[in-house]
Amino acid sequence: MQKLILASASPRRADLLRMLGLPFRVVPSGVSEVLETPLEPADYVLEISRRKARAVARKFRGELVLGADTVVVLEGNILGKPADPNDAARMLTRLSGKTHQVFTALTLIDTASGSTLSDVAVTDVTIRRLSREDIRRYVETGESSDKAGAYAAQGRAVVFIESVSGCFYNVVGLPLACLWDLTGRILARSPWSLIPKGASVPDLISSGRSESRPRCSES
């Protein structure tokens, strides 16, 4: 049975794949996310996702390789991972009371056929007005340290999110409907064919993980 290779070390993406019951293996790409020339957000995440997928696809034959990249964009500017707690506080202050966009690009490579497909999901996220205590206490949790935009939608920052328009799982880092569509298109068959019959699927809600809990009405 063909297996999915996740070219990412993100535990959040891995949890979401487990939720679907898809057999997969994690093989981080290790590629640089610094580009030589500035790009628009959609083009930026597409390029990085393709680099990740291509770097890992060279090591396999007959498997599907998934590359993904997510950025937070406020007023046209990409907010990366904060350099330190002060930088995280500055980012959260900028996001406070505003609507921003989360872009995630997915690239799938079928190493059996050499086919490649990519797509980008965009979600609008509105953050309520945050108090100084909100920002200080959240940064002190350490949760913002390795997150684009300095917040984790699947963590304590869920209480900051006033509304979401689009796919919630995109904000977590893996737009599942988009992934399902890409997988079906590249295989020319239903993605259900990748899931073993009778495979158990972890209940991420009862286990205390919040990746599977949408906080929005999708549009």
Side-chain angles (χ1 to χ4, degrees):
M1 179 180 291
Q2 199 168 25
K3 183 174 285 188
L4 182 68
I5 309 296
L6 176 61
S8 169
S10 167
R12 296 164 293 282
R13 291 181 180 133
D15 279 338
L16 290 175
L17 290 178
R18 291 188 192 100
M19 185 179 74
L20 293 181
L22 285 168
F24 71 98
R25 176 181 172 189
V26 174
V27 181
S29 67
V31 301
S32 171
E33 297 184 17
V34 178
L35 299 183
E36 297 75 20
T37 55
L39 295 175
E40 292 298 313
D43 295 327
Y44 173 87
V45 290
L46 271 172
E47 177 61 22
I48 299 300
S49 74
R50 287 169 178 160
R51 288 187 180 189
K52 291 178 179 179
R54 288 168 184 161
V56 173
R58 298 187 189 104
K59 306 173 184 178
F60 293 92
R61 291 291 181 271
E63 309 291 5
L64 280 179
V65 176
L66 172 63
D69 192 59
T70 301
V71 295
V72 169
V73 179
L74 177 66
E75 298 168 346
N77 299 309
I78 294 176
L79 301 184
K81 297 175 182 179
D84 53 41
N86 288 334
D87 192 28
R90 283 191 291 270
M91 286 187 186
L92 291 169
T93 299
R94 291 181 63 188
L95 293 171
S96 174
K98 297 178 181 176
T99 298
H100 64 272
Q101 289 72 46
V102 177
F103 287 72
T104 297
L106 301 180
T107 294
L108 265 181
I109 298 177
D110 184 347
T111 61
S113 66
S115 299
T116 300
L117 287 178
S118 297
D119 205 353
V120 179
V122 184
T123 301
D124 288 336
V125 181
T126 300
I127 301 294
R128 65 174 175 80
R129 191 166 298 280
L130 305 177
S131 67
R132 290 183 179 179
E133 182 184 16
D134 284 330
I135 294 171
R136 177 180 61 81
R137 294 289 295 270
Y138 181 69
V139 171
E140 286 176 353
T141 68
E143 193 175 87
S144 61
S145 63
D146 63 343
K147 309 297 189 303
Y151 77 92
Q154 75 282 2
R156 291 184 177 92
V158 72
V159 298
F160 297 164
I161 297 175
E162 191 170 273
S163 66
V164 174
S165 178
C167 176
F168 171 80
Y169 297 108
N170 179 36
V171 187
V172 178
L174 191 64
L176 297 181
C178 179
L179 172 62
W180 197 259
D181 176 65
L182 278 181
T183 304
R185 286 164 54 197
I186 203 166
L187 294 176
R189 65 178 188 271
S190 170
W192 288 106
S193 63
L194 296 179
I195 302 175
K197 291 183 179 180
S200 61
V201 178
D203 185 339
L204 300 185
I205 297 177
S206 63
S207 68
R209 297 181 182 271
S210 58
E211 284 88 345
S212 63
R213 184 181 59 205
R215 298 267 311 171
C216 62
S217 333
E218 295 188 3
S219 62

